[in-house]
Amino acid sequence: MQFDEVVLGRRSIRGYKPDPVPRALIEEVIGLAMRSPSSMNTQPWNFYVITGEPLNRIRAGNTERMIAGVPQSREFRTGQGFAGKHRDRQVGVAKQLFSAMGIEREDKEERQDWVLRGFRQFDAPVCVIVTYDRELDGSDDTPFDCGAVTTALVLAAWSRGLGTVINSQGIMQSPVVREHAGIAEDQIIMKSIALGWPDFDFPANAVVSERKPVREAAVFVGFEDQAQGGSA
Ligand SMILES: Cc1cc2nc3c(=O)[nH]c(=O)nc-3n(C[C@H](O)[C@H](O)[C@H](O)COP(=O)(O)O)c2cc1C
C-alpha cells in the first residue's frame, strides 16, 4: 500500500473476525512501529501482546469492575472532562458511531452494551498494552514518544490488513491488566490497542471520523516573504 492509502484508509476498527493473528505478523508490525523517533532515542516504550485465556481474563475483570462501579484507576495523569469544541468533537464521533450501529439516544441498554464492548477490547483476538519505563516517569516526552509509536503501530497494522482501535477503556482498570498480563513493576501502563482482522460487515467500522481543516490547526509564520509558486 502507498502511504496515502494507509493514512487515509485507516480508521478505528470496533468489530473483528475471530481468526487468530500470527505472532510473526505482530512482531513485524511492532518492528515497523519502533522505527518511530523518540526523545534522544530513549525508546521508552514496551508492548505486552495478549491473546487467548489471559485476554479473556482481562475482558472479564474489566467488565466486572466497570459494572460494579469500581472507580477508574489509570497509572498516569488524566485531565478534566472535555468542554467546548473538544466536547463537541467527542459527541460528534459518538453520534456517528451510534448512528451507524442504529443505537438510539434514549436506548440506555444498547448504549451500555456498546460501552461494555470497549471494556472487552471490542472482542478482538489480540490486545497490545503499551507501557513505558517507570524511570522516565514525569517527563512529558515519554507519553509523547508512546503516542508516536502507537500511531506508527496502527498504521503499520493497517498496511498489513489488520485493524486496530487505540483505547483507554482497556486500561481504565489498570490493576486487572497488570495482574493478568504480568506487567513488570518497572513499567507504567499507558494505553491499550485492540488488534485483529477487521469485520467489514460490522457497521461502526465504516465510520470515517471528521477532522478540523489544516487552516484551523496550522499557523504559518514568515511564509508571506516567500515567492509564491514553489521552487524559484
Ligand atoms: C488516546 C486515545 C484513546 C482512545 N480511547 C478510545 C476508547 O476508549 N474507546 C473507543 O472506542 N475509542 C477510543 N479511541 C479512538 C478514537 O475515538 C478515534 O481514534 C477518534 O475518534 C478518531 O477516529 P479514527 O481513529 O477512526 O480516525 C481512542 C483514541 C486515542 C488516540
Side-chain angles (χ1 to χ4, degrees):
M1 269 195 224
Q2 297 293 310
F3 181 76
D4 287 22
E5 258 183 275
V6 176
V7 172
L8 296 173
R10 185 214 61 84
R11 55 201 182 267
S12 289
I13 293 298
R14 296 182 176 87
Y16 294 88
K17 295 181 179 162
D19 312 56
V21 184
R23 176 177 167 158
L25 182 57
I26 304 173
E27 282 176 3
E28 186 189 341
V29 162
I30 293 175
L32 286 168
M34 284 173 57
R35 293 308 305 168
S36 297
S38 62
S39 172
M40 311 290 171
N41 203 24
T42 45
Q43 304 170 60
W45 49 64
N46 288 293
F47 309 90
Y48 287 76
V49 186
I50 312 159
T51 193
E53 269 318 299
L55 179 52
N56 287 337
R57 284 195 283 273
I58 290 173
R59 295 189 225 274
N62 280 347
T63 306
E64 222 169 83
R65 286 170 67 121
M66 292 313 295
I67 287 176
V70 177
Q72 291 180 26
S73 124
R74 307 192 202 189
E75 299 189 351
F76 54 89
R77 284 185 306 154
T78 52
Q80 305 295 318
F82 298 133
K85 61 191 174 195
H86 301 118
R87 174 73 183 153
D88 290 346
R89 290 182 195 135
Q90 179 188 21
V91 170
V93 75
K95 275 188 179 162
Q96 281 184 283
L97 290 166
F98 285 145
S99 157
M101 294 301 296
I103 301 174
E104 301 291 339
R105 204 183 150 73
E106 305 74 34
D107 195 336
K108 288 212 169 104
E109 208 169 302
E110 291 238 15
R111 286 172 81 107
Q112 166 81 343
D113 273 0
W114 178 258
V115 171
L116 290 179
R117 194 178 173 76
F119 293 112
R120 294 197 311 270
Q121 286 304 280
F122 308 88
D123 300 329
V126 178
C127 166
V128 180
I129 301 291
V130 181
T131 69
Y132 61 87
D133 297 327
R134 190 180 292 279
E135 62 190 291
L136 294 180
D137 195 23
S139 163
D140 288 340
D141 279 331
T142 307
F144 184 92
D145 293 343
C146 287
V149 82
T150 300
T151 301
L153 194 155
V154 301
L155 291 172
W158 190 264
S159 78
R160 299 298 189 268
L162 286 165
T164 57
V165 54
I166 304 169
N167 66 92
S168 297
Q169 283 177 282
I171 53 90
M172 277 182 193
Q173 298 291 346
S174 283
V176 169
V177 178
R178 186 165 279 285
E179 180 190 346
H180 297 298
I183 294 183
E185 275 311 311
D186 66 356
Q187 295 299 301
I188 290 184
I189 296 174
M190 179 80 234
K191 208 55 76 182
S192 179
I193 311 169
L195 178 143
W197 304 108
D199 174 359
F200 287 113
D201 293 330
F202 188 76
N205 288 346
V207 167
V208 177
S209 58
E210 291 172 5
R211 294 293 184 274
K212 62 183 178 183
V214 173
R215 66 175 182 283
E216 201 182 314
V219 178
F220 291 86
V221 181
F223 281 81
E224 60 280 7
D225 303 335
Q226 248 183 25
Q228 293 295 311
S231 58

